[in-house]
Amino acid sequence: MTSVMTMAKVSVMVVNAFTYNGEGGNPAGVVLNADQYSQAEKQEIARLAGFPETAFVSQSDVADRKLEFFTPNKQIAHCGHATIATFSYLNQIGELVSKNSSKETIDGIRDIMLTDGKAFMEQKPQFFKTISNREISAVMTSLSLSTDDIMDGYQPMITNTGVSFIIIPLSSREALKNIKTDLETINRISEQHDLIGFYAFSMDAVDMGHDVTTRMFAPRYAIPEESATGMAAGNLGYYLYEQMNMKMPEIVIEQGYFMDSPSKSEIIVQLNTKDGELTNIMAGGSAQVGEGTTVILNR
């Protein structure tokens, strides 16, 4: 018997996370009641929606919600901006009203905090990993920079607060602005070290009130450049605290300023300690709910 293909309309809410003064940010797709979709269908919905990440929200027995994240080409364990988008949206529509919430992911349970119109997600400091001088040179070349553009006294390093990035300290905002990417090489290095991507930063922020300005590149996940990245921001907070001895309770990060189509974003990273030891990281910010879209799924 020949099977009959059916088509399903899937509603995808669009939420801009990490907005700055009510504008900019990074769009995420949010799909509610996602228990009904298979993993393959979630991947196809994310591909059709075309956002850097789409969050699929299901019921959970161990947390307030189960979240699964898909880029247009693969699943990802954690996603900062899609988490902030989802919990801000659920809060704004009245589904979650408590200050303290939680998410279940494929990598465990993480705390969520909803306060003053902002959402924050927990990250846990895991590890640092050095890379060789030859690899550092390849990293810098892939950004059309040289090792002379690295901040004096520091080196690019792999960090992990749930997922891994190479954190790249640059000597100036101009170097950050001048980056031109070799995405093939960035992808190769990311595959080799199981990275989400590269997160480059300068301490010379553009706007007053921001501590750091950044750029993020993740071609391995079909993201040439992203305007706001919560997981990378948490990793950067970890790097600043442990490697650069910036013992601050809060760091405010800007991102998206130097993209071809700029989208200014603001990410607040809270660094929580006990007896001088970093215990957890809460990265968050504001989100703006936009208009939904609909994709057609063949089933």
Side-chain angles (χ1 to χ4, degrees):
M1 177 180 292
T2 303
S3 63
V4 178
M5 181 175 290
T6 61
M7 293 187 295
K9 292 184 178 180
V10 181
S11 296
V12 183
M13 182 55 64
V14 182
V15 184
N16 286 323
F18 300 121
T19 54
Y20 179 46
N21 291 333
E23 298 180 351
N26 191 10
V30 178
V31 177
L32 302 181
N33 305 313
D35 309 75
Q36 61 188 301
Y37 303 116
S38 70
Q39 297 302 100
E41 287 174 333
K42 291 170 187 173
Q43 183 63 75
E44 178 63 6
I45 292 166
R47 186 188 70 82
L48 293 170
F51 298 108
E53 283 91 6
T54 297
F56 293 84
V57 187
S58 304
Q59 296 302 309
S60 172
D61 295 327
V62 295
D64 282 338
R65 293 293 187 277
K66 178 181 178 181
L67 265 62
E68 296 172 284
F69 308 104
F70 289 80
T71 74
N73 72 338
K74 65 178 69 177
Q75 189 173 9
I76 186 172
H78 296 286
C79 176
H81 89 276
T83 296
I84 301 309
T86 298
F87 279 86
S88 293
Y89 177 54
L90 292 173
N91 181 244
Q92 290 178 36
I93 64 176
E95 283 204 19
L96 293 175
V97 295
S98 173
K99 175 181 177 179
N100 298 310
S101 187
S102 59
K103 69 172 180 177
E104 175 191 355
T105 74
I106 62 175
D107 192 39
I109 301 168
R110 296 291 186 270
D111 290 336
I112 304 293
M113 183 174 64
L114 300 166
T115 181
D116 298 328
K118 295 180 174 64
F120 291 82
M121 63 166 195
E122 181 187 26
Q123 298 179 49
K124 297 182 178 181
Q126 303 286 333
F127 63 82
F128 293 102
K129 180 182 176 182
T130 59
I131 58 177
S132 68
N133 289 335
R134 178 183 58 81
E135 290 176 305
I136 289 173
S137 180
V139 166
M140 299 306 290
T141 299
S142 75
L143 302 176
S144 300
L145 300 175
S146 76
T147 55
D148 290 340
D149 293 305
I150 298 172
M151 188 186 305
D152 285 345
Y154 303 98
Q155 293 290 339
M157 182 178 289
I158 295 172
T159 66
N160 185 292
T161 61
V163 293
S164 293
F165 290 85
I166 287 182
I167 301 297
I168 306 165
L170 297 180
S171 58
S172 68
R173 185 203 306 170
E174 195 66 21
L176 188 74
K177 181 179 179 180
N178 288 339
I179 286 174
K180 303 295 181 186
T181 51
D182 174 354
L183 295 178
E184 183 176 337
T185 300
I186 295 173
N187 181 73
R188 176 179 58 76
I189 295 171
S190 298
E191 287 280 359
Q192 179 183 350
H193 291 285
D194 193 22
L195 308 174
I196 300 301
F198 292 9
Y199 202 48
F201 75 95
S202 165
M203 301 303 298
D204 184 18
V206 176
D207 282 334
M208 188 175 296
H210 294 164
D211 300 302
V212 190
T213 186
T214 62
R215 299 181 73 175
M216 200 286 278
F217 312 99
R220 185 185 180 202
Y221 287 86
I223 304 170
E225 182 170 1
E226 192 165 56
S227 57
T229 319
M231 290 302 299
N235 275 267
L236 176 55
Y238 184 31
Y239 182 95
L240 294 173
Y241 188 91
E242 297 287 1
Q243 300 298 318
M244 296 183 63
N245 202 36
M246 289 182 60
K247 308 300 187 185
M248 301 164 59
E250 183 175 282
I251 294 167
V252 184
I253 297 170
E254 63 185 30
Q255 190 176 328
Y257 282 51
F258 303 121
M259 300 176 68
D260 290 339
S261 297
S263 182
K264 294 184 177 183
S265 303
E266 181 181 82
I267 310 163
I268 302 167
V269 177
Q270 298 173 346
L271 302 164
N272 300 312
T273 61
K274 183 177 180 180
D275 299 327
E277 297 292 325
L278 186 62
T279 55
N280 77 344
I281 299 161
M282 300 294 290
S286 301
Q288 189 78 30
V289 178
E291 295 183 3
T293 187
T294 300
V295 302
I296 304 300
L297 178 67
N298 291 321
R299 310 188 77 173

